[in-house]
């Protein structure tokens, strides 16, 4: 029975025809060469990572060539000996037939023959021959640059299937439409991963949007996608690359030390790793498979890696210049993409559609037009009020395609009652803060007051992603931030997402015109940004919900007024030698102490040491040290030890206490750490109360 008459062969061909989707550009180029069109290239080099569909495409090209009456010669790099003689033997004498079509698959297995192939083998093929070479690695750039091959060689980087082609692939495989988005998210359109995921989804009868391939499927898929890695260090570099939005050599250096340059260079040439202006990133299916495998295989190792990267990107965001804030925030938030609703409300891929810019007076009419269109005339009046008073708090979002301003936002910083009679939303936030933790001198509350994109009003979009990232940057970078409020229309669409971020709805629902709003609040004194991100990490790693911010009753941070704070400092100094009493001091639960990572006695000692850097500070330092840290029995004894008249000693001590309180208060408000330094040996009883 001939090949064309084989029943099984016919069934295979028909099945493959039904399953084949996409690759329109590649097919068009090959058909042009088959038809002998002027300008069509006879040599085609296809390259791409494992599972991208190179072999499937070659089978389709072979079928088209045979239907066109051409002789087809197949060479598989996995079975051909990687020598000139072995390759020539695999090709056989038919390769010299007129109009032959030579298809070479898995060329990476004989990549060492590349120079011989271009210089010796291909030039000897008969005129009218067509050659398609497919491999993981791109060809040596010299051949594409060689003027002799100009017009003869077409190099194509084979990509994932386009979304519409991938969806057609899933439909042809009988996958329920409600899980298409999940499968496309996991696979990124990689054909091999799509085929495996489709088979599993159909087998499992999956219909839930949260469906994921099981660990056996991931274990099967991963080696096919990435092949062998040279060492455990290379595998770790891959896992870092998978967890990060983009990977730079700086990131690898921070996590892997001196091996970073070599590892970055290796990552850069892997066929499943792409290069962008910001760094390297893997194909989606490689990223998802590496993440799933590491989290299952070594959960402690994944948690440790995540923690290192969180600290790295948090430090980068804290010190980033204004021009890099959004990029730094996006990199930090990407570490949490698998948690809760993060990927539903953050569009890392879409942000390139718009540009974030500071508001300028020329934008005024457009901003008011957008407010009027999305929220009504009264909202535009409120926006105009704040534009007049706080234009620096506004941002606009311009389309990178048309240049048009599409959206705007405002991050209002409020230090004292302002606009309460004009803006019901700000008035509600002010009342909430006063009732639950009033502002202290040097502090402010902030509202994401306007999030206006009329085309997709308060729905996930590129402008909304940028608005969220700017708010997140404020949480991390702002000095003296107390309460923050996210403001959204009161329809519940953001409730679950914001609850996952520990931003809880306030009771009041203010209205502006016909629009009613919900305010989602967080007290950054009770749970500062670093602690917030740590809890978010714990929730992601455990799969549990993020717990609410701790309250003072739960042992959380206390928020003291300045008089309460000063009294607590004096009481702490008086009880330095009474650990049980000192343990009850409210400063132990202040931001000052908890964020420093030191005990209250050490913080006080550092503050005393800080006096030495000030004018007349040595006198103050000696007075407070002799009185509290070296334990004179009485203040009179301390004065005598210092050789000072009692009135002079008292003046120095009073001044020392005032300056220490000022210094400690500054660090309490700013969330900054005092420098280390002892002040006395901590022995002796304190003198009578100062």
């Amino acid at each position: 029975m001939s090949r064309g008459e084989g029943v099984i062969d016919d069934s295979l061909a028909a099945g493959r025809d039904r399953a084949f989707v996409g690759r329109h550009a590649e097919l068009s180029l090959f058909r042009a060469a088959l038809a002998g069109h002027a300008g069509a290239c006879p040599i085609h080099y296809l390259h791409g990572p494992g599972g991208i569909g190179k072999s499937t495409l070659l089978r389709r090209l072979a079928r088209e060539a045979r239907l066109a009456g051409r002789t087809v010669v197949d060479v598989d790099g996995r079975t051909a000996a990687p020598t000139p003689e072995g390759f020539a033997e695999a090709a056989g004498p038919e390769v010299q037939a007129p109009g032959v079509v030579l298809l070479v698959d898995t060329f990476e297995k004989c990549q060492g023959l590349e120079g011989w192939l271009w210089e010796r083998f291909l030039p000897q093929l008969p005129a009218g021959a067509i050659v398609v070479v497919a491999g993981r690695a791109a060809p040596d750039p010299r051949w594409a640059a060689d003027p002799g091959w100009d017009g003869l060689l077409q190099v194509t980087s084979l990509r994932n299937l386009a979304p519409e082609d991938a969806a057609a692939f899933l439909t042809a495989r009988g996958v329920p439409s409600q899980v298409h988005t999940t499968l496309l998210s996991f696979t990124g359109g990689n054909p091999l991963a799509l085929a495996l995921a489709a088979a599993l989804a159909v087998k499992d009868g999956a219909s839930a949007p949260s469906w994921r391939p099981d660990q056996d499927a991931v274990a099967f898929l991963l080696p096919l996608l990435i092949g062998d890695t040279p060492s455990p260090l290379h595998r770790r570099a891959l896992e870092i690359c998978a967890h990060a939005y983009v990977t730079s050599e700086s990131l690898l250096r921070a996590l892997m030390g001196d091996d970073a340059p070599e590892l970055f260079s290796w990552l850069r040439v892997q066929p499943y790793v792409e290069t962008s202006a910001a760094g390297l990133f893997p194909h989606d299916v490689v990223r998802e498979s590496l993440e799933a495998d590491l989290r299952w295989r070594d959960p402690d190792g994944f948690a440790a890696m995540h923690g290192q990267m969180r600290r790295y990107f948090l430090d980068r965001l804290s010190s980033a210049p204004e021009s890099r804030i959004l990029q730094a925030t996006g990199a930090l938030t990407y570490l949490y993409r698998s948690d809760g609703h993060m990927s539903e409300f953050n569009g890392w891929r879409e942000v390139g559609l718009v540009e974030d810019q500071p508001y300028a007076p020329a934008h005024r009419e457009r901003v008011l037009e957008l407010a009027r269109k999305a929220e009504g005339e009264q909202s535009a009046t409120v926006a105009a009020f704040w534009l007049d008073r706080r234009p620096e708090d506004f941002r606009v979002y311009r389309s990178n395609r048309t240049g048009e301003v599409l959206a705007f936002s405002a991050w209002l910083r409020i230090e004292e009652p302002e606009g309460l009679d004009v803006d019901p939303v700000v008035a509600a936030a002010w009342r909430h803060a006063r009732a639950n933790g009033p502002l202290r001198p040097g502090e402010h509350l902030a509202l994401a007051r306007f999030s206006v994109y009329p085309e997709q009003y308060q729905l996930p979009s590129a402008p909304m992603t940028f608005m969220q990232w700017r708010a997140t940057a404020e949480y991390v970078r702002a000095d003296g931030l107390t309460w923050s409020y996210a403001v959204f229309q009161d329809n519940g669409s953001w409730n679950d997402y914001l609850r996952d971020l520990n931003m809880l709805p306030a009771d009041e629902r203010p209205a502006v015109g016909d629009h009613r709003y919900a305010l989602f609040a967080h007290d950054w004194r009770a749970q500062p940004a670093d602690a917030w991100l740590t809890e978010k990490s714990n929730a992601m790693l455990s799969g549990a919900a993020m717990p609410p911010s701790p309250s003072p009753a739960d042992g959380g941070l206390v928020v003291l007024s300045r008089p309460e704070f000063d009294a607590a400092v004096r009481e702490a100094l008086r009880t330095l030698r009474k650990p049980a009493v000192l343990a009850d001091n409210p400063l132990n639960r202040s931001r000052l102490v908890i964020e420093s990572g030191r005990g209250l006695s050490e913080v006080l000692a550092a503050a005393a040491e800080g006096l030495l850097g000030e004018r007349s500070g040595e006198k103050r330092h000696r007075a407070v040290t002799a009185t509290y840290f070296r334990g004179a029995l009485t203040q009179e004894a301390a004065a005598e030890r210092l050789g000072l008249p009692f009135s002079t000693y008292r003046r120095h001590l009073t001044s020392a206490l005032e300056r220490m309180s000022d210094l400690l208060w500054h660090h309490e408000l700013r969330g900054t750490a005092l420098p280390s330094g002892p002040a006395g040996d901590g022995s002796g009883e304190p003198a009578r109360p100062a």
Side-chain angles (χ1 to χ4, degrees):
M1 184 177 291
S2 69
R3 176 182 175 90
E5 296 171 348
V7 174
I8 293 177
D9 188 60
D10 287 346
S11 298
L12 280 172
R16 286 167 176 165
D17 278 347
R18 286 193 302 271
F20 189 89
V21 298
R23 307 305 186 200
H24 308 292
E26 292 82 2
L27 287 172
S28 177
L29 290 170
F30 183 75
R31 287 165 179 165
L34 276 179
H37 291 171
C41 293
I43 313 295
H44 298 255
Y45 193 109
L46 308 174
H47 64 94
I52 203 67
K54 300 183 294 293
S55 298
T56 298
L57 178 57
L58 285 181
R59 282 197 296 266
R60 178 57 176 251
L61 300 183
R63 181 168 173 77
E64 299 229 352
R66 290 189 177 103
L67 289 174
R70 297 290 192 105
T71 299
V72 176
V73 174
D74 295 303
V75 174
D76 192 329
R78 290 170 296 188
T79 57
T83 63
E85 296 77 14
F87 189 96
E89 182 181 351
E94 284 188 313
V95 79
Q96 294 297 326
V100 68
V101 174
L102 171 64
L103 304 176
V104 183
D105 199 5
T106 328
F107 185 63
E108 69 271 10
K109 295 296 185 181
C110 46
Q111 200 78 35
L113 298 177
E114 187 174 3
W116 170 82
L117 187 78
W118 296 108
E119 294 175 350
R120 304 290 298 277
F121 185 82
L122 295 180
Q124 298 303 313
L125 294 182
I130 300 173
V131 179
V132 183
V133 179
R136 292 195 175 196
D140 189 314
R142 288 178 297 173
W143 311 122
D146 186 337
W149 287 106
D150 186 34
L152 300 177
L153 172 62
Q154 171 70 43
V155 177
T156 302
S157 173
L158 212 57
R159 319 297 290 185
N160 287 336
L161 292 174
E164 59 273 16
D165 293 329
F169 179 97
L170 294 175
T171 299
R173 298 294 179 100
V175 177
S177 59
Q178 58 265 37
V179 292
H180 281 194
T181 299
T182 296
L183 266 61
L184 291 175
S185 174
F186 175 79
T187 64
N190 178 282
L192 174 62
L194 274 172
L196 177 61
L200 289 172
V202 171
K203 175 186 174 184
D204 298 343
S207 59
S210 59
W211 179 87
R212 277 285 188 269
D214 61 25
Q215 194 53 45
D216 289 340
V218 171
F220 169 78
L221 185 61
L222 196 51
L224 300 176
L225 296 173
I226 67 173
D228 296 326
T229 49
S231 74
L233 280 179
H234 291 80
R235 180 59 176 254
R236 176 164 166 75
L238 259 182
E239 290 163 350
I240 291 169
C241 190
H243 196 45
Y245 183 45
V246 292
T247 296
S248 64
E249 191 172 310
S250 299
L251 173 61
L252 290 181
R253 186 179 301 111
L255 272 66
M256 303 195 71
D258 294 339
D259 294 310
E262 176 193 344
L263 294 170
F264 186 83
S265 296
W266 176 79
L267 283 173
R268 194 173 188 173
V269 298
Q270 298 312 299
Y272 47 80
V273 173
E274 300 285 343
T275 301
S276 72
L280 308 176
F281 61 94
H283 291 183
D284 289 349
V285 68
V286 173
R287 184 194 292 282
E288 295 297 333
S289 298
L290 281 165
E291 283 260 291
D293 180 69
L294 180 60
R295 292 186 71 163
W296 172 81
R297 176 174 51 82
D298 185 8
D300 292 341
F302 179 81
M305 179 185 73
H306 171 82
Q308 285 182 288
M309 294 174 72
R310 174 179 60 81
R311 290 186 289 273
Y312 172 82
F313 285 118
L314 183 59
D315 289 343
R316 299 276 288 196
L317 174 55
S318 298
S319 59
E322 171 64 31
S323 61
R324 306 283 291 179
I325 284 177
L326 292 181
Q327 182 179 356
T329 309
L332 176 63
T333 57
Y334 192 75
L335 301 181
Y336 298 89
R337 66 190 180 279
S338 64
D339 185 57
H341 301 271
M342 286 292 289
S343 289
E344 296 173 37
F345 289 84
N346 290 269
W348 288 273
R349 291 181 177 177
E350 291 76 28
V351 291
L353 299 174
V354 297
E355 181 182 0
D356 169 282
Q357 294 181 340
Y359 168 82
H363 300 135
R364 181 184 177 88
E365 291 309 314
R366 177 58 175 163
V367 164
L368 296 180
E369 177 188 351
L370 292 170
R372 194 175 294 114
K373 182 177 181 180
E375 299 182 337
E377 190 63 48
Q378 286 183 256
S379 180
T381 300
V382 174
F385 173 85
W386 291 115
L387 281 172
D388 290 338
R389 284 157 181 78
R390 297 183 177 276
E392 69 280 3
D393 289 352
F394 282 75
R395 310 290 297 187
V396 297
Y397 303 90
R398 188 185 297 276
S399 167
N400 279 328
R401 184 175 62 85
T402 66
E404 181 185 13
V405 172
L406 303 174
F408 77 94
S409 66
W411 180 260
L412 298 181
R413 301 164 183 84
I414 307 295
E415 297 177 5
E416 56 187 23
E418 181 181 5
L420 306 189
D421 56 339
V422 175
D423 190 344
V425 173
V426 171
W430 188 261
R431 285 191 292 271
H432 179 272
R434 286 192 64 185
N436 293 279
L439 275 62
R440 302 173 296 186
E443 295 180 334
H444 68 276
L445 62 80
L447 295 89
R449 174 59 187 91
F450 294 99
S451 303
V452 176
Y453 177 33
E455 295 305 312
Q456 293 175 260
Y457 180 62
Q458 296 196 348
L459 295 173
S461 62
M464 286 297 295
T465 295
F466 271 155
M467 294 173 197
Q468 291 183 78
W469 289 2
R470 186 159 290 279
T472 301
E474 290 286 346
Y475 305 152
V476 171
R477 295 164 61 96
D479 285 337
L481 175 61
T482 57
W483 291 95
S484 70
Y485 297 90
V487 180
F488 289 100
Q489 57 181 339
D490 187 21
N491 62 7
S493 60
W494 288 77
N495 291 29
D496 290 342
Y497 169 64
L498 292 169
R499 188 178 293 109
D500 277 348
L501 295 174
N502 210 355
M503 297 178 185
L504 305 180
D507 292 335
E508 191 171 350
R509 298 290 193 271
V512 178
D514 295 331
H515 289 255
R516 190 165 295 279
Y517 298 91
L519 279 69
F520 299 86
H522 187 93
D523 187 349
W524 297 99
R525 298 168 300 188
Q527 188 179 52
D530 191 33
W532 174 64
L533 287 169
T534 300
E535 286 293 346
K536 187 64 176 164
S537 293
N538 293 339
M540 180 187 74
L541 295 169
S542 67
M546 189 173 178
S549 299
S551 67
D554 301 325
L557 291 183
V558 297
V559 179
L560 301 173
S561 67
R562 181 60 193 268
E564 292 170 333
F565 186 89
D566 291 345
V569 170
R570 285 181 165 82
E571 179 63 20
L573 288 168
R574 284 195 291 266
T575 57
L576 270 176
R577 293 282 294 168
K578 299 177 181 178
V581 179
L582 185 65
D584 289 333
N585 191 289
L587 289 179
N588 285 296
R589 290 179 289 150
S590 67
R591 184 183 189 187
L592 169 75
V593 172
I594 289 179
E595 291 193 12
S596 73
R598 292 183 276 175
L600 176 54
S601 60
E602 294 176 282
V603 169
L604 293 170
E609 196 76 6
L611 299 174
L612 289 172
E614 302 179 343
R615 184 178 179 182
S616 302
E618 185 177 353
K619 297 175 182 178
R620 300 188 188 104
H621 178 264
R622 291 178 63 216
V624 77
T625 300
T627 305
Y628 298 113
F629 293 94
R630 291 183 180 157
L633 294 177
T634 65
Q635 291 188 358
E636 288 80 0
E640 183 177 350
R641 176 184 291 180
L642 295 172
L644 295 174
F646 187 72
S647 60
T648 303
Y649 156 79
R650 285 285 296 169
R651 186 170 68 252
H652 292 171
L653 181 61
T654 300
S655 178
L657 292 172
E658 291 174 353
R659 289 298 303 135
M660 283 182 66
S661 283
D662 286 345
L663 179 63
L664 293 167
W665 180 250
H666 171 81
H667 288 281
E668 165 73 4
L669 294 186
R670 299 292 181 267
T672 53
L674 284 155
S676 299
D681 58 12
S683 63
E685 293 289 341
R688 78 183 183 204

